[in-house]
Amino acid sequence: MSNVPHELLYTKEHEWVRIDGNSAVVGITEHAQRELGDVVFVELPDVGKSFELGDAFGTVESVKAVSEIYAPLSGEITEINNEVVDSPELVNEDPYGEGWLAKFSFTTAPSGLLSAAEYERYINDEANK
């Protein structure tokens, strides 16, 4: 079973979101990094770039596949984690901590995100298909 911190929100594309006022930190979930395998490359956008909900804003490449990372909310990138660009294995080692990917600012509250309980049900349902 994956670690699903209850203080975070989630997407069905396996991103996590930590909301703090009008900003949000985004990363990929433990479930996603485990499915991907060893992450070997992370590509992130430039600070200042804006994205709409559902837009691809970066990629994570592993030994198994290349996966796009989708914006879980509409907003502007205010910071990227250069540490994961330099050391992509941080995504595997600490997906909810040092392996975060980007920070967004937003003016409209995010909607459609899953609670931890909803996300756990979602990944369990997906595993049973």
Side-chain angles (χ1 to χ4, degrees):
M1 182 70 172
S2 291
N3 176 24
V4 180
H6 289 276
E7 69 276 10
L8 303 177
L9 299 170
Y10 300 88
T11 71
K12 290 184 177 180
E13 290 75 31
H14 307 289
E15 287 90 22
W16 59 263
V17 182
R18 180 181 297 116
I19 304 287
D20 182 16
N22 286 343
S23 67
V25 179
V26 176
I28 65 169
T29 65
E30 180 178 295
H31 174 79
Q33 68 82 19
R34 194 171 59 239
E35 292 292 311
L36 283 168
D38 293 336
V39 175
V40 296
F41 181 76
V42 175
E43 180 180 48
L44 297 172
D46 293 330
V47 170
K49 188 153 185 189
S50 293
F51 295 90
E52 294 297 318
L53 172 68
D55 287 351
F57 76 89
T59 57
V60 174
E61 182 177 339
S62 72
V63 295
K64 292 182 183 179
V66 176
S67 295
E68 291 188 322
I69 310 159
Y70 298 98
L73 48 86
S74 297
E76 180 181 313
I77 299 289
T78 58
E79 187 177 345
I80 61 167
N81 186 353
N82 286 308
E83 294 295 318
V84 297
V85 174
D86 295 336
S87 301
E89 65 276 6
L90 288 172
V91 173
N92 295 111
E93 293 168 0
D94 190 11
Y96 300 116
E98 295 298 313
W100 66 274
L101 300 174
K103 292 183 181 178
F104 284 77
S105 67
F106 58 89
T107 54
T108 303
S111 62
L113 297 172
L114 305 174
S115 69
E118 291 167 328
Y119 181 67
E120 286 176 322
R121 273 193 302 277
Y122 176 73
I123 58 178
N124 286 334
D125 290 348
E126 288 292 299
N128 294 325
K129 282 188 177 180

